Amino acid sequence: MNTKSALFKEHMVELRLFGVLLGLMVVLSLISDRFLTVDNLTNVLWSVCLIGIMTTGAIYAPITGGIDLSVASMAALAGILANVFMNTLGMNWIVAILITLVIGAGIGWLNGVVTTKFLVPAFIVTMAAKTYLFGVAMLVSNGDQITIMEPAPFLQIGIGKLLGIPIPIYIMFTLVILSHILLKKTVFGRRTIAVGANEVAAKLTGVNPDRTRIIVYTISSVTATIAGIVMASLTQQAYAMNATGYELDVITAIVVGGTSLMGGSGSVVGALIGAVMVGFINNGLNLLDMPSAFHPIATGIVILVALIMNQGVSVPAVLKKWFARPGAAEAAK
Amino acid sequence: MSVSAIRRLILTGLLIAIGIALSIANPTFLKLDNLMTMLQEASLTGIVAIGFTLILITAGIDMSIGAVIAITSMICVNFISYTQLPAYIYIPIALAAGCAIGWVNGFFITHFKLPEFIVTLATRGILAGLALIIAVKDEQGFVKNVFIEDPVFLSFGETVGPVYIVTIVFILLAIATQFFMKRTRAGTNIYASGANPTAARLSGINVDRTLIGVYMFSGFCAALSSIFLAARMMTAMPEFGIGNELDVIASVVIGGTPFTGGIGDIWGTIIGTLFIALIKNGILKLGLSPYIQPIVIGGIIIVTVVADVWYKHHAEKKATQAARRKAMESKEVGA
Amino acid sequence: MSNNVKSDLLLECRGIDKNYNGPQVLSKVDFSLRRGEIHALVGENGAGKSTLIKIVTGITNRNAGTIVFDGHDVPVEHNKNASEKLGIAVIYQELSLIHGMTVAQNIFLTKEPLLPGLPFIDIKKMNAMAQEMIEKYGFDLKATDIIDKLPIAQRQTVEILKALSNKASLMIMDEPTSSLTAKESERLFKIIRMLKAEGITVVYISHRMEEVYDLSDRVTVLRDGKLVSVLEGEEITPAEIIRLMIGRELTEDESHHKMVDKRDREVVLEVKNLSAEGKLNDVSFKLHKGEVLGFGGLVGSGRTELMRAIYGIDAFDAGEIMYLGKTYSPTVEKSIASGFGFVPEERRLQGIMGGISITGNIGIANLDSISSPAGFVSRDKELERTQTAISTLNIKPANPDHLVGNLSGGNQQKVVVGKWLIRDLKLLIVDEPTVGVDIGAKEEMYQTIDRLSREGVAVMVVSSDLPELTRLSDRIIVLRKGRIIKEFTEGVVTEEEVLRAASGIVEGGAK
């Protein structure tokens, strides 16, 4: 077997996505001459960072056939908690971050336990989590937009640059690489895919589906926490509404990246390209001076289109079937 | 006594207990004004919850209900600002829009075989964005506060005696829906489609059409609630309803309609709606931080669902054990 | 409607042919039913019984042949709804009942009686009508009982009532007693005779010869997709039916089916008095190194349950399992680590991960040997193992990246077996090794099992395919209702003997 062609085949999805991405860039550069500037592209990459970081962990839930809708609330809460630990309780910033990460992991663990042990659909559990985490965030911050002025090293996480490139971009790419390796090269990754592909078969070959899922939701919460810390540092602000609606962007990136919500397959790199695409679409709307309200509209449409494409349904066939349904002929008359 | 009857008794007991506790803690709670306002709040959620109950009976979910409220109120506002048409013309149009949105949801779910929650999450985003875009703006581009002056529209916010019209409509709609679900073939088909779609198809039920109908009804209920909400506020804002899904879900779930489909009725939803409204009012009356609200609502959903699953598991285990024992005994006799 | 003089035949099928794009499943089968008779349809697994029923009920279409039902020609493009309108009903175990609804609601689903002139259901009338039907047949039911709370036997009676309310003139029952107790079966037979008295024709499909013997007016025997014989009256005896089903005497070339006594070898597995409520009753046996132990019995006799208990999927209530001389309390993970392999009965639902490559399917059972202690999977080792499995089992296409869902049934089964072969295997459990597998792959599967046993692997085979069971086994244990009812240890065992034991016709065999 030719290894080169095998490698090519394995990354078909990602390559095709990359093609679409390039196409989108061409269109955008034709629409606006402000698009292909270093400033603008850096801006896009920067705004993609938070979604990208969340995506690296959130992608595991769909691979097992579940979903995590709590990532945005978790991120907002993480920023607020980190600020409380550092600036109200006066902890060292590293300790504060570590404690925040542990809390994030605990919440993800709880999501996983409730979903697996009590057989509650994941979207219900994580939606309820999204709500109560938002409540806790509001309660702790008293609903205020708290400005974070110190400590300086903490702020460097978000606004610092290394070799001219913002640090959050390093963080994102590190997490993408780690997540890609975790999914494709480790025992845990294999088990995650197996649970999503056929839980019964996986169980009969020695995989513990519950344990796997609990870890999956824990990872999802941890990356959301990391995104929240980066966000707090980047915006120098802790605010419960800071990430509102991001879960939809995260799902969009994952779905666009070719991951089926039915489970059994997924691509971290694809999701990253999906995140960049979401970033470009938003950027395009900005460049066209469209109001920000177009953002959820675009996201919603992109999700539906990507889902239908992932599902492999032929749209003309469905429409034809619908128009040919009994009663349609009479209705037309 | 059936499990659902016991559940309702417990809930009603809790309702009364919390009511007594609240009236001791804060005497203004028992004032007729407060009670009627609370009922009005409950009814606004409750109308949406009736549609949502049917959705859960089909084992589906509709995340777009809040956004339907937003978009229908914006449709009304546009008619008020840009046409001279009277309310009795554009209100039916707004209600029809709710149905149409439900149809789109149902079409994507049934014909493209996509997961319900993600389809309705996507339409939620689209509708929430559209509501902002079609909101009436002033010269600076800020959302303008359009006041409702049409007496027909405003009459939706009136009272009959001490009772708000919305409460009366809620109760009437609840009775009608309950009757529809239990006493018509269409209602029975909804239960069958949720409990066992394969068997329903084998029995000749058009499951796809049934599901689309249920999503349309859910859209209609949300639109209806939106009209009452706008009439009560005497204006409408593009944020109306956004995020209210959780109150609705909590009301229905605690009322005893599970996510697994095929089971549930409107009576449970009424009690659930009152329960959630009481909790929210209680948080207010006790002077607690309003931010506790989402924590309590989220917590209620998780605790209820976990308790339900735990109970069901427990009951099933007992039943299969008994059945097996019985089977074994008679096998011995037979062999 | 039709003014023709009604013939005494309700259904007449002539020269039915069916192939599913390949092997001929039915060839030139004639099948006729008289009005008001109880007609048994028998044959081994794969003889074509279910296909014939599917054609009659319109679930699949025939390739050739004519069908006349009640004087009407049934077209080739027949469908389920049309067959229901003609009056043909199939009694499913519980598939077509709606949970959460009452008995009456289920019986009258989509045809509920309405209040006069109104679109509202007349619940009182509906319950009364249902209750009337229940009482007419003397069923142990109430119209207002919720389906969920009824045992399976009673759900079946609801199915029958539903068919009766559809004015069915033909009722088809496929293995209706497989999950019923003896008492419940008796009650069902009474109902069937009552239906017959009403003039309803009943097609009865069963592997249980004594039931067929007791009930049937006529018996149609199918073998390998062909009609063998139609028995009537005195001709119907269990022994004769079994003889016709198997259809061949022992021939010289089958002498290699002779069982080999390997009971002097080292004991690999010993099961002592294993019991699980409602599934297994006091099962004890020993399994030796290099021995192929076959498990025969009817569907529902506890074979699969026994395998699942030994592998550690389901818990058991009492008894002990000894593995290599030590007490063993199984869990799946422990079993895999101790050298067990498990090939489940339902390949698509339990065996394969269709959306994943051959490598992925084989890798998942071998993560321990292809990964480093830190948890990283070695792609090279994984590919090497997969290549080994592909070449030893001759999996086609021999492309490790091929999705398992796109393989043929035989090759899918090879993947499921293959994931265990590349381990240090000591005990292989195979449940129905060749269901849905073509003949070539079948023979390869047998050779693989033979080879494993020569290499010293102890094998337990569950099979409803009798030639397969006798072909593979060194010793055969027959289960019936969760108990070991017969053990064949030496000489040549015939399929007939196994089937007799499984059906409960054992001359002095049962305790």
Side-chain angles (χ1 to χ4, degrees):
Chain A
M1 164 120 318
N2 188 337
T3 22
K4 232 182 212 169
S5 81
L7 206 70
F8 179 77
K9 216 170 167 186
E10 198 185 324
H11 297 288
M12 248 323 250
V13 183
E14 286 92 342
L15 284 173
R16 204 183 309 149
L17 270 173
F18 200 71
V20 177
L21 191 65
L22 285 179
L24 191 64
M25 287 175 79
V26 170
V27 172
L28 285 174
S29 53
L30 289 178
I31 288 173
S32 167
D33 49 5
R34 278 180 292 159
F35 178 72
L36 269 187
T37 58
V38 176
D39 265 6
N40 186 51
L41 290 182
T42 320
N43 260 336
V44 172
L45 205 52
W46 208 329
S47 76
V48 161
C49 269
L50 297 176
I51 304 295
I53 291 173
M54 287 185 193
T55 309
T56 56
I59 192 170
Y60 287 87
I63 292 174
T64 62
I67 194 87
D68 189 352
L69 297 175
S70 70
V71 285
S73 292
M74 188 60 238
L77 179 61
I80 291 166
L81 287 182
N83 178 56
V84 168
F85 292 141
M86 289 183 304
N87 294 328
T88 314
L89 302 177
M91 287 180 194
N92 175 288
W93 64 279
I94 296 177
V95 177
I97 288 177
L98 287 179
I99 296 178
T100 312
L101 285 173
V102 169
I103 294 175
I107 290 164
W109 177 84
L110 192 67
N111 282 342
V113 167
V114 176
T115 336
T116 54
K117 300 292 177 194
F118 295 95
L119 305 166
V120 184
F123 72 91
I124 298 297
V125 177
T126 54
M127 192 170 53
K130 167 190 157 176
T131 313
Y132 75 72
L133 291 176
F134 172 74
V136 173
M138 284 299 246
L139 203 62
V140 174
S141 64
N142 206 18
D144 295 335
Q145 304 188 30
I146 305 159
T147 309
I148 306 175
M149 303 297 284
E150 49 187 2
F154 175 79
L155 293 179
Q156 280 305 309
I157 296 174
I159 52 178
K161 282 185 179 179
L162 199 66
L163 305 172
I165 298 168
I167 288 176
I169 293 176
Y170 287 101
I171 296 177
M172 179 179 76
F173 277 110
T174 311
L175 284 175
V176 166
I177 293 167
L178 285 179
S179 177
H180 179 79
I181 293 172
L182 185 66
L183 182 63
K184 299 280 173 184
K185 312 270 176 204
T186 69
V187 170
F188 170 76
R190 291 302 159 92
R191 290 187 174 143
T192 308
I193 293 172
V195 167
N198 185 343
E199 182 170 344
V200 180
K203 212 169 166 181
L204 292 183
T205 36
V207 178
N208 183 333
D210 286 4
R211 200 191 300 149
T212 308
R213 284 215 172 89
I214 291 172
I215 299 175
V216 160
Y217 287 95
T218 309
I219 292 176
S220 182
S221 249
V222 167
T223 52
T225 309
I226 295 175
I229 290 166
V230 172
M231 180 172 63
S233 160
L234 186 77
T235 57
Q236 302 192 27
Q237 194 191 55
Y239 181 36
M241 309 265 260
N242 255 355
T244 309
Y246 275 27
E247 68 270 0
L248 203 61
D249 290 339
V250 170
I251 295 173
T252 313
I254 293 172
V255 173
V256 168
T259 300
S260 154
L261 292 178
M262 309 297 177
S265 68
S267 159
V268 177
V269 178
L272 174 67
I273 300 175
V276 175
M277 227 183 275
V278 172
F280 275 152
I281 291 171
N282 290 337
N283 183 245
L285 293 175
N286 281 338
L287 292 177
L288 290 173
D289 291 321
M290 302 284 244
S292 65
F294 276 103
H295 172 189
I297 299 181
T299 318
I301 292 172
V302 169
I303 287 189
L304 287 177
V305 171
L307 273 177
I308 290 172
M309 283 171 66
N310 284 1
Q311 197 84 330
V313 227
S314 141
V315 178
V318 167
L319 293 178
K320 214 171 130 191
K321 197 182 135 208
W322 186 71
F323 282 113
R325 78 198 188 283
E330 291 101 273
K333 285 176 203 166
Chain B
M1 199 179 337
S2 74
V3 181
S4 64
I6 294 173
R7 181 200 193 99
R8 263 168 228 169
L9 265 185
I10 294 174
L11 264 185
T12 317
L14 269 178
L15 263 178
I16 296 167
I18 295 173
I20 292 172
L22 280 178
S23 50
I24 294 168
N26 186 340
T28 62
F29 170 77
L30 266 190
K31 279 202 169 158
L32 189 66
D33 260 12
N34 182 52
L35 288 179
M36 286 304 142
T37 316
M38 197 181 86
L39 271 183
Q40 186 192 24
E41 289 280 352
S43 307
L44 287 169
T45 314
I47 290 176
V48 190
I50 290 173
F52 195 80
T53 308
L54 266 56
I55 296 270
L56 281 197
I57 289 174
T58 67
I61 189 112
D62 188 351
M63 300 298 294
S64 71
I65 39 183
V68 172
I69 293 178
I71 193 88
T72 41
S73 62
M74 284 305 102
I75 289 174
C76 292
V77 161
N78 273 279
F79 272 104
I80 294 170
S81 301
Y82 300 121
T83 70
Q84 301 301 317
L85 289 173
Y88 57 77
I89 295 202
Y90 61 74
I91 285 179
I93 293 177
L95 294 177
C99 291
I101 293 162
W103 183 86
V104 171
N105 281 334
F107 186 79
F108 273 99
I109 290 165
T110 55
H111 286 73
F112 289 108
K113 315 244 174 310
L114 300 179
E116 296 89 348
F117 83 89
I118 193 80
V119 168
T120 51
L121 213 55
T123 46
R124 174 186 197 254
I126 295 172
L127 294 172
L130 272 181
L132 279 169
I133 288 168
I134 67 167
V136 176
K137 318 269 172 48
D138 59 18
E139 289 80 25
Q140 280 91 41
F142 291 110
V143 173
K144 207 164 89 180
N145 228 351
V146 177
F147 289 101
I148 298 168
E149 280 154 0
D150 191 307
V152 176
F153 203 147
L154 286 179
S155 68
F156 279 88
E158 301 281 306
T159 57
V160 175
V163 187
Y164 285 95
I165 289 179
V166 62
T167 304
I168 298 169
V169 169
F170 169 51
I171 291 166
L172 289 179
L173 185 67
I175 293 171
T177 311
Q178 175 75 5
F179 189 80
F180 169 81
M181 289 301 283
K182 297 287 180 186
R183 295 299 293 270
T184 68
R185 284 182 181 172
T188 315
N189 291 354
I190 293 173
Y191 278 107
S193 303
N196 189 341
T198 320
R201 276 193 199 101
L202 278 177
S203 302
I205 294 169
N206 188 335
V207 174
D208 285 359
R209 203 162 65 192
T210 307
L211 291 187
I212 291 179
V214 168
Y215 280 90
M216 286 174 75
F217 181 64
S218 173
F220 169 82
C221 289
L224 188 63
S225 171
S226 156
I227 304 291
F228 283 108
L229 183 62
R232 176 200 173 189
M233 310 298 275
M234 295 193 217
T235 179
M237 283 174 281
E239 297 85 23
F240 268 13
I242 305 285
N244 281 5
E245 299 91 3
L246 259 289
D247 287 357
V248 173
I249 295 174
S251 303
V252 178
V253 169
I254 202 169
T257 304
F259 287 101
T260 40
I263 307 172
D265 64 16
I266 308 296
W267 302 145
T269 298
I270 296 179
I271 302 175
T273 313
L274 291 177
F275 189 82
I276 297 296
L278 184 69
I279 298 271
K280 286 172 76 176
N281 191 268
I283 291 171
L284 206 71
K285 285 286 164 196
L286 292 179
L288 297 172
S289 160
Y291 305 135
I292 287 192
Q293 237 181 55
I295 305 177
V296 172
I297 301 287
I300 285 178
I301 293 179
I302 291 190
V303 169
T304 313
V305 176
V306 164
D308 278 351
V309 171
W310 181 82
Y311 175 81
K312 204 177 151 208
H313 189 73
H314 187 71
E316 265 169 16
K317 214 167 145 192
K318 253 171 71 183
T320 48
Q321 270 174 1
R324 270 197 212 156
R325 203 166 300 132
K326 202 180 143 206
M328 214 51 181
E329 280 159 13
S330 48
K331 265 186 191 173
E332 309 266 329
V333 178
Chain C
M1 271 182 268
S2 113
N3 295 323
N4 303 344
V5 181
K6 287 197 171 180
S7 78
D8 65 334
L9 288 184
L10 177 70
L11 176 81
E12 200 176 4
C13 303
R14 289 205 168 275
I16 303 292
D17 270 0
K18 176 74 192 176
N19 61 49
Y20 290 103
N21 306 321
Q24 193 78 11
V25 189
L26 292 176
S27 51
K28 299 209 169 45
V29 172
D30 295 341
F31 179 56
S32 63
L33 298 171
R34 292 178 190 154
R35 287 176 199 280
E37 72 169 343
I38 300 172
H39 193 118
L41 183 59
V42 299
E44 281 191 279
N45 288 341
K49 291 168 297 182
S50 8
T51 309
L52 182 59
I53 293 310
K54 279 184 189 160
I55 287 172
V56 170
T57 51
I59 292 170
T60 53
N61 291 332
R62 58 190 186 267
N63 296 112
T66 59
I67 301 178
V68 177
F69 184 83
D70 206 5
H72 303 275
D73 282 327
V74 177
V76 174
E77 290 87 21
H78 186 46
N79 63 41
K80 175 120 199 340
N81 282 346
S83 84
E84 233 157 58
K85 277 202 189 102
L86 285 173
I88 301 172
V90 183
I91 307 302
Y92 300 96
Q93 290 287 342
E94 52 177 319
L95 187 71
S96 76
L97 295 180
I98 309 284
H99 290 242
M101 286 194 177
T102 65
V103 169
Q105 280 177 313
N106 265 290
I107 294 175
F108 293 107
L109 187 63
T110 68
K111 46 182 195 298
E112 296 90 349
L114 301 178
L115 289 167
L118 291 170
F120 304 129
I121 299 171
D122 189 341
I123 293 179
K124 262 190 198 153
K125 191 173 163 199
M126 185 170 78
N127 287 339
M129 281 163 68
Q131 195 62 41
E132 195 185 323
M133 287 177 76
I134 292 167
E135 275 157 23
K136 182 175 162 199
Y137 294 97
F139 290 164
D140 182 20
L141 279 178
K142 276 220 301 273
T144 49
D145 283 342
I146 304 283
I147 287 294
D148 310 40
K149 301 205 168 120
L150 299 178
I152 288 181
Q154 277 173 312
R155 291 185 198 181
Q156 229 169 29
T157 59
V158 178
E159 288 272 7
I160 293 173
L161 287 171
K162 196 174 165 182
L164 285 171
S165 79
N166 275 336
K167 310 249 181 305
S169 51
L170 170 60
M171 276 192 213
I172 298 166
M173 303 189 185
D174 194 351
E175 291 281 354
T177 56
S178 62
S179 44
L180 300 190
T181 64
K183 238 192 232 163
E184 288 167 336
S185 301
E186 273 309 316
R187 221 171 291 149
L188 178 69
F189 301 153
K190 246 166 85 188
I191 294 168
I192 291 175
R193 293 200 178 94
M194 224 143 61
L195 294 173
K196 179 192 164 170
E198 292 257 310
I200 292 165
T201 308
V202 178
V203 172
Y204 192 84
I205 301 171
S206 180
H207 278 107
R208 301 179 186 208
M209 290 312 135
E210 76 277 20
E211 296 176 3
V212 170
Y213 171 69
D214 281 349
L215 272 175
S216 321
D217 299 316
R218 293 201 301 157
V219 178
T220 294
V221 185
L222 294 182
R223 189 174 67 229
D224 303 329
K226 295 191 184 82
L227 173 70
V228 177
S229 181
V230 182
L231 303 177
E232 189 167 358
E234 297 288 299
E235 298 163 14
I236 304 172
T237 65
E240 176 66 5
I241 299 171
I242 289 176
R243 198 186 62 79
L244 288 169
M245 276 168 63
I246 309 289
R248 54 200 143 102
E249 307 298 324
L250 194 67
T251 53
E252 270 309 302
D253 69 295
E254 279 172 295
S255 55
H256 67 276
H257 294 183
K258 195 163 186 278
M259 296 195 286
V260 185
D261 197 340
K262 294 177 177 166
R263 283 178 293 169
D264 52 343
R265 301 195 185 174
E266 184 193 338
V267 175
V268 176
L269 183 84
E270 182 174 4
V271 172
K272 292 181 187 165
N273 312 100
L274 202 67
S275 292
E277 223 177 301
K279 297 188 208 161
L280 297 171
N281 200 341
D282 201 19
V283 173
S284 304
F285 65 90
K286 285 181 188 164
L287 174 69
H288 306 80
K289 203 168 176 206
E291 186 181 35
V292 180
L293 181 54
F295 286 84
L298 302 179
V299 172
S301 60
R303 297 171 303 175
T304 298
E305 288 76 4
L306 178 61
M307 299 304 130
R308 287 173 65 94
I310 293 171
Y311 188 57
I313 305 165
D314 301 328
F316 48 88
D317 306 327
E320 197 185 3
I321 297 174
M322 309 273 286
Y323 178 63
L324 298 175
K326 290 194 201 88
T327 304
Y328 180 68
S329 51
T331 67
V332 173
E333 282 163 67
K334 216 155 87 183
S335 293
I336 294 172
S338 329
F340 285 45
F342 186 81
V343 179
E345 64 175 332
E346 289 181 83
R347 181 169 54 243
R348 205 176 50 77
L349 294 178
Q350 307 176 340
I352 60 160
M353 298 182 284
I356 293 185
S357 65
I358 298 177
T359 319
N361 270 272
I362 289 181
I364 192 73
N366 293 284
L367 288 173
D368 50 355
S369 65
I370 59 171
S371 63
S372 66
F376 289 96
V377 176
S378 155
R379 175 83 185 157
D380 289 345
K381 273 189 197 166
E382 189 181 31
L383 262 177
E384 182 202 313
R385 303 283 154 117
T386 308
Q387 296 286 12
T388 313
I390 287 177
S391 56
T392 29
L393 287 174
N394 189 24
I395 295 172
K396 284 174 196 163
N399 173 6
D401 294 330
H402 204 81
L403 292 188
V404 170
N406 299 340
L407 296 175
S408 72
N411 282 300
Q412 288 183 348
Q413 189 72 336
K414 286 183 193 169
V415 173
V416 181
V417 175
K419 60 185 168 196
W420 304 115
L421 291 198
I422 47 177
R423 302 180 63 79
D424 178 18
L425 194 64
K426 294 198 176 66
L427 169 64
L428 181 67
I429 301 172
V430 193
D431 199 345
E432 299 291 359
T434 60
V435 169
V437 167
D438 55 285
I439 294 184
K442 223 171 186 173
E443 196 48 44
E444 287 177 278
M445 192 62 67
Y446 297 160
Q447 280 163 12
T448 304
I449 291 174
D450 286 345
R451 183 172 52 83
L452 286 172
S453 93
R454 278 200 303 278
E455 286 166 6
V457 176
V459 184
M460 291 197 277
V461 176
V462 170
S463 179
S464 299
D465 184 345
L466 292 173
E468 171 174 297
L469 197 64
T470 50
R471 151 85 173 78
L472 284 172
S473 310
D474 294 324
R475 187 154 61 98
I476 295 176
I477 285 175
V478 180
L479 292 182
R480 183 171 161 81
K481 297 185 176 175
R483 283 174 182 279
I484 295 183
I485 195 165
K486 176 103 179 157
E487 186 176 339
F488 297 98
T489 51
E490 53 191 333
V492 177
V493 66
T494 63
E495 296 153 29
E496 206 170 317
E497 283 174 302
V498 176
L499 191 55
R500 277 160 176 261
S503 311
I505 326 169
V506 183
E507 295 89 311
K511 280 187 261 181

